[in-house]
Amino acid sequence: MGDTGQFAEIIVDISARSVDRVFHYAVPADLKDRVKPGARVLVPFGARRLAGYVLGFGYPERNIRVREIAGVLDDEPVLTEDLLEIARWMADSYLCTTAEAFARIIAPRLGVKATRAVKLLKPAFPARKSQEVLNRLKHAPKQAAVLRQALLNQSLTRKELAAAAQTSPATVDALVKAGLLEAEILHASNYQEENRIVHSSGGVTPLNADQVKAAREISQALTEGKFGVFLLYGVTGSGKTEVYLDAIASALAAGRQAVAMVPEISLTPQMIGLFRARFGSLVAVLHSGLAGRERYEEWRRVKKNQAPVVLGTRSAVFAPLSAPGLFILDEEHEPSYKQDDHLRYHAREVAIKRAQLSGAAVVLGSATPSLESWFKAGCSGPYQLLKLPHRIDKKPLPQVTVVDIRQELKDGNRGIFSRRLVAAIYDRLQKGEQTILFLNRRGYANFIICRECGHVIKCDHCDISLTYHLDGTLRCHYCNYSARLPSVCPCCGSVYIRPFGAGTQKVEDEAARLFPAARILRMDSDSTARKGSHEKIINAFRQGEADILIGTQMIAKGLDLPMVTLVGVINADTTLFMPDFRASERTFQLLTQVAGRSGRGKLPGEVLVQTYSPDHYSIAAAARHDVEGFYRIELPLRKSLGYPPFSFLVRMLFTHADEAEISKGALLAKEILDKILAGHDNLIEALGPAPAPLGRIKGRFRWQIVIKGRRRSELRDIIRQCLDDLQKLRPSFKPAINIDINPQGMQ
Ligand code: ADP
Ligand code: ZN
Ligand code: ZN
């Protein structure tokens, strides 16, 4: 610490906007060695003692009396220098406080102290005595239950054991006291081996010409240590993963670290296998599905640079790397890269910012890039486009057929399955091949569709499907336009015009009725709520234990299932008419991805897409495998309606338990916004307030204002001013406000 090192500059861990600034504290002599940038400390603040984050050193502006740091919380700094910068950037970009950003960044560490060892309890008698011991406990059923759990799983803590046996920790203590359970102290446990599907051929696959070309561009950037963003656009099955692995090897060769992210935890086991086969113990896995101690252990291995390759979900973007060289986002278009709680960061944006700070490369991989990324990879940059135009071994893409279900109705078939789909499934059953039936998550909003002509009622101003409410009204969630539900279709006059919806359970029931001999598995959020059951279902299906797999989004992504030769999309319209400007894009991406699940083995694949809108361009383009054709239509449409990537959107979400309070509050916020906007050019638009598509969650009503403008920084300034004015005008403002910059969905 030099001359300017007299005072530590600290962000105090308190999430109030009014104190979101640097405070100066003196460093006591005995803490000098441990108070470093990125360290967490304990400081007096008013009458309290709070945690704080050390940013650096300097002097306070005026010669005020500074207080002393009371203690240091960690043995070594938990944050790297670039993460300090990232926290400040997040506060600015996402309108949160710096303390909130820090809390988000270090979240994977929370709950486990550096020095804490884990105490696991296991039976203190040999397994052959189990029955005898359990018999002795006949009159203590709770203790017997605990013991049974301990016999099943020997890696549970006292609390976990009590929870597993649905009793209190005191029961567990009683068993320890009786000498029936004993403790084992564990300092470090690795991610459990049995959770993984190992899936590797071993060794390095020689790349094909397209892969080599893409990998060379990335490795060149890595050697030069230059910041750059690459959009790796490769059709499904084109071998993007091998390019990632090669890029990671280049990063390691350059002495840098790499982070690879996948959109969902369920996809990590497959990737872990590939990564471990190539990089062995250099791989650390970071995601929220790991138990606290595993997560901490992996985090520590990254921090110590024992594991320079990090594989994880979006939060892995905050991995504590000393020399980040590469950030990979597989399936970069997936909305799950956006955090959807109060601090709504996007992992792609954070990765690009971190890469900028450290001269690293970012690789965004997808068969169906987000419109934003595609636009930025256009001829004028700033991203560089890398293409993998062919499937490995020139395997053909599956044949996609669109089935018009309006015709089914006309022909008297009122079921979920078209005749064509029934015939195709029957054919697979006879051949012993597998079928996937895909159903989009049941729409959170009901739109109105005409069963005869497929017409959907939309808002004239926003081109968004109107949502049906139980009081019989139709409403636009962007601008709050409302209308009555018509009694006949405004397009064809049919009376078959009504809300839309079907669930996986219904599909399963009907499939069971139509194909009584078929073995059917269902996978949705209900059936996979238990940890690991997702992998169990996939493994069972992979091993041929079922003929038909029915599922939601979860089965659309990244899985390599060679025996699947038929994919049926039960209804493409659920996504197509979500009340969201990205509805067409999401539909196209989903269909393309679902199609990619078929025909990955030696047998050719077929895809059947059932829809009321067979002529819609996103369905037609997906059926033709025409990715670029889709963008050619979608981009100008977005432009004409002023939606991203030609503008920025911000959603202000207001929530409150009292309905009157929330509409009043949202209206007041809108008035303030209108006043601010009156002083601006008219390129910024504030829509609403309107109830959100999910109008009420857990007893809290939800309203939103959507703001649209050309420049992100300008929008941020306006919202900041709106929040400040609200605070001044109405200090007792009741609804909670959540700001979502560039929302990925607006439920
Ligand atoms: P994508 O992620 O682009 O959909 P994958 O990375 O899953 O594609 O690759 C598809 C299949 O092709 C995988 O089974 C992979 O092992 C195989 N593969 C990838 N590259 C090659 C190569 N150069 N030679 C042979 N097989 C390859
Ligand atoms: Zn109609
Ligand atoms: Zn509207």
Side-chain angles (χ1 to χ4, degrees):
M1 226 179 294
D3 204 24
T4 55
Q6 294 296 325
F7 298 98
E9 295 182 330
I10 287 171
I11 295 286
V12 179
D13 190 13
I14 184 170
S15 67
R17 299 179 70 81
S18 54
V19 290
D20 186 17
R21 60 180 179 84
V22 167
F23 289 89
H24 287 84
Y25 284 90
V27 184
D30 59 326
L31 295 181
K32 261 199 160 81
D33 298 337
R34 291 170 64 207
V35 176
K36 294 181 199 156
R40 289 189 303 174
V41 292
L42 205 59
V43 293
F45 193 80
R48 289 184 289 172
R49 268 188 177 195
L50 295 172
Y53 306 89
V54 180
L55 293 182
F57 300 95
Y59 284 102
E61 263 175 34
R62 281 165 296 125
N63 216 355
I64 47 166
R65 199 179 74 85
V66 285
R67 301 168 81 178
E68 259 192 2
I69 292 177
V72 181
L73 291 173
D74 308 287
D75 299 334
E76 48 173 333
V78 291
L79 293 153
T80 56
E81 297 253 353
D82 76 315
L83 286 174
L84 293 175
E85 191 68 34
I86 286 289
R88 280 187 284 190
W89 171 84
M90 281 170 77
D92 187 47
S93 302
Y94 300 116
L95 300 177
C96 60
T97 65
T98 320
E100 284 168 336
F102 276 129
R104 169 64 62 206
I105 290 172
I106 64 165
R109 258 182 64 84
L110 287 184
V112 185
K113 287 197 195 78
T115 50
R116 196 184 117 189
V118 186
K119 204 157 120 186
L120 303 179
L121 294 171
K122 42 194 231 180
F125 47 84
R128 64 190 150 79
K129 293 251 167 91
S130 311
Q131 204 46 53
E132 188 189 319
V133 177
L134 284 171
N135 284 344
R136 261 195 277 147
L137 289 176
K138 231 182 283 159
H139 303 292
K142 281 185 181 167
Q143 292 191 15
V146 171
L147 214 51
R148 251 179 241 115
Q149 290 300 331
L151 284 163
L152 281 175
N153 187 342
Q154 316 217 335
S155 63
L156 297 179
T157 62
R158 169 176 174 266
K159 266 197 192 148
E160 289 165 346
L161 203 46
Q166 296 179 331
T167 178
S168 72
T171 316
V172 181
D173 297 342
L175 286 165
V176 175
K177 225 166 159 195
L180 292 172
L181 285 178
E182 65 185 5
E184 181 192 8
I185 310 287
L186 203 75
H187 288 279
S189 85
N190 273 322
Y191 184 48
Q192 285 162 9
E193 211 60 47
E194 62 270 17
N195 282 348
R196 298 183 197 123
I197 301 169
V198 178
H199 177 276
S200 91
S201 50
V204 178
T205 314
L207 302 183
N208 66 25
D210 292 321
Q211 289 171 317
V212 166
K213 223 169 105 194
R216 199 176 286 151
E217 295 281 350
I218 302 167
S219 85
Q220 194 177 339
L222 279 165
T223 334
E224 289 168 10
K226 253 185 8 203
F227 163 68
V229 182
F230 298 91
L231 177 61
L232 179 62
Y233 159 53
V235 298
T236 50
S238 60
K240 292 185 285 294
T241 315
E242 291 297 332
V243 176
Y244 302 152
L245 294 173
D246 189 89
I248 294 169
S250 300
L252 296 183
R256 319 265 305 258
Q257 298 146 326
V259 177
M261 286 168 267
V262 291
E264 281 186 26
I265 292 174
S266 63
L267 295 176
T268 51
Q270 188 164 305
M271 278 282 200
I272 290 170
L274 292 168
F275 274 54
R276 287 264 157 85
R278 178 81 174 255
F279 302 109
S281 64
L282 298 182
V283 180
V285 178
L286 285 182
H287 61 66
S288 57
L290 299 180
R293 56 175 178 274
E294 290 170 346
R295 194 139 52 129
Y296 171 66
E297 179 56 24
E298 292 293 82
W299 182 91
R300 211 180 49 95
R301 292 205 308 128
V302 177
K303 186 84 197 336
K304 290 184 153 178
N305 205 7
Q306 291 167 345
V309 180
V310 178
L311 178 61
T313 46
R314 66 172 175 253
S315 60
V317 78
F318 300 121
L321 310 172
S322 53
L326 177 65
F327 293 90
I328 296 168
L329 281 89
D330 186 31
E331 313 284 5
E332 67 92 28
H333 60 278
E334 284 295 336
S336 52
Y337 281 118
K338 178 97 186 234
Q339 172 78 25
D340 59 6
D341 64 5
H342 67 285
L343 205 179
R344 295 172 184 254
Y345 71 89
H346 197 299
R348 191 204 295 136
E349 291 171 351
V350 178
I352 290 173
K353 184 66 193 176
R354 271 194 96 174
Q356 241 166 2
L357 290 174
S358 47
V362 179
V363 175
L364 308 173
S366 178
T368 51
S370 63
L371 223 65
E372 282 95 333
S373 296
W374 181 260
F375 183 60
K376 285 186 181 158
C379 39
S380 53
Y383 299 175
Q384 193 177 333
L385 183 63
L386 305 173
K387 282 197 198 183
L388 301 179
H390 308 291
R391 277 190 150 183
I392 293 293
D393 296 336
K394 303 273 189 293
K395 223 171 264 168
L397 285 161
Q399 160 96 37
V400 179
T401 308
V402 178
V403 180
D404 184 349
I405 37 182
R406 294 171 305 185
Q407 191 58 43
E408 294 293 313
L409 184 75
K410 282 195 193 122
D411 295 347
N413 174 11
R414 293 170 164 271
I416 305 173
F417 292 76
S418 63
R419 290 156 297 178
R420 174 104 195 229
L421 183 56
V422 171
I425 296 173
Y426 192 69
D427 175 59
R428 297 316 187 287
L429 289 172
Q430 294 214 307
K431 289 188 193 147
E433 295 169 13
Q434 290 182 310
T435 297
I436 287 182
L437 294 177
F438 175 78
L439 186 83
N440 188 12
R441 171 193 51 189
R442 198 178 132 66
Y444 48 80
N446 284 316
F447 55 90
I448 301 294
I449 190 166
C450 169
R451 302 272 156 137
E452 275 190 53
C453 76
H455 179 73
V456 167
I457 302 182
K458 290 189 164 189
C459 173
D460 292 343
H461 315 286
C462 309
D463 197 38
I464 297 295
S465 314
L466 295 181
T467 299
Y468 176 66
H469 287 252
L470 286 178
D471 62 2
T473 57
L474 297 176
R475 211 176 260 204
C476 171
H477 288 298
Y478 283 18
C479 74
N480 210 23
Y481 166 81
S482 78
R484 301 286 319 165
L485 175 65
S487 52
V488 297
C489 171
C491 193
C492 76
S494 163
V495 292
Y496 288 106
I497 180 154
R498 54 176 85 140
F500 189 87
T504 42
Q505 181 66 57
K506 219 171 136 194
V507 175
E508 184 179 357
D509 294 346
E510 189 144 340
R513 193 178 58 76
L514 288 167
F515 313 104
R519 297 163 302 162
I520 301 173
L521 280 174
R522 178 164 63 98
M523 189 161 85
D524 54 23
S525 46
D526 296 338
S527 64
T528 58
R530 278 172 307 119
K531 196 182 163 193
S533 68
H534 178 276
E535 281 147 40
K536 279 200 196 106
I537 295 174
I538 288 292
N539 274 336
F541 192 60
R542 193 195 298 276
Q543 276 149 30
E545 288 169 26
D547 309 300
I548 301 175
L549 174 64
I550 298 171
T552 51
Q553 262 92 336
M554 285 180 195
I555 57 174
K557 293 169 207 154
L559 299 167
D560 215 340
L561 299 165
M563 282 308 291
V564 174
T565 59
L566 174 66
V567 172
V569 177
I570 299 297
N571 207 307
D573 305 77
T574 8
T575 347
L576 196 52
F577 299 111
M578 290 187 301
D580 191 317
F581 73 90
R582 284 195 183 85
S584 302
E585 180 184 349
R586 295 268 188 260
T587 306
F588 176 77
Q589 287 163 343
L590 266 171
L591 290 181
T592 304
Q593 234 149 41
V594 168
R597 294 311 105 221
S598 172
R600 290 180 77 98
K602 294 201 172 58
L603 304 163
E606 184 187 9
V607 179
L608 291 178
V609 179
Q610 304 193 133
T611 175
Y612 285 101
S613 318
D615 303 323
H616 191 283
Y617 64 96
S618 40
I619 291 175
R624 289 195 314 267
H625 303 292
D626 186 3
V627 178
E628 298 182 33
F630 170 75
Y631 295 115
R632 271 199 299 277
I633 298 177
E634 181 70 3
L635 269 174
L637 275 178
R638 292 276 181 92
K639 193 168 185 179
S640 69
L641 292 162
Y643 285 127
F646 300 96
S647 68
F648 285 97
L649 242 53
V650 178
R651 164 161 95 152
M652 293 179 83
L653 179 69
F654 301 82
T655 59
H656 197 267
D658 179 350
E659 193 160 24
E661 201 66 59
I662 192 149
S663 56
K664 222 169 59 195
L667 276 167
L668 174 64
K670 179 66 180 346
E671 263 171 48
I672 291 175
L673 269 175
D674 285 341
K675 261 193 215 120
I676 300 171
L677 289 180
H680 268 77
D681 53 37
N682 52 13
L683 285 174
I684 299 174
E685 239 184 312
L687 304 175
L694 281 177
R696 195 176 177 194
I697 296 181
K698 290 184 191 150
R700 291 179 72 87
F701 290 91
R702 308 165 85 241
W703 279 59
Q704 65 187 23
I705 296 176
V706 177
I707 307 156
K708 218 156 88 168
R710 281 299 180 81
R711 279 209 303 274
R712 187 169 171 159
S713 55
E714 203 173 26
L715 286 179
R716 278 197 314 247
D717 292 344
I718 285 164
I719 289 163
R720 223 175 253 127
Q721 193 184 335
C722 172
L723 294 176
D724 289 347
D725 290 359
L726 251 180
Q727 174 72 31
K728 259 180 252 153
L729 218 66
R730 188 74 54 87
S732 64
F733 190 75
K734 298 246 177 58
I737 306 176
N738 177 268
I739 307 293
D740 192 350
I741 310 268
N742 225 346
Q744 290 298 304
M746 295 201 199
Q747 296 90 314

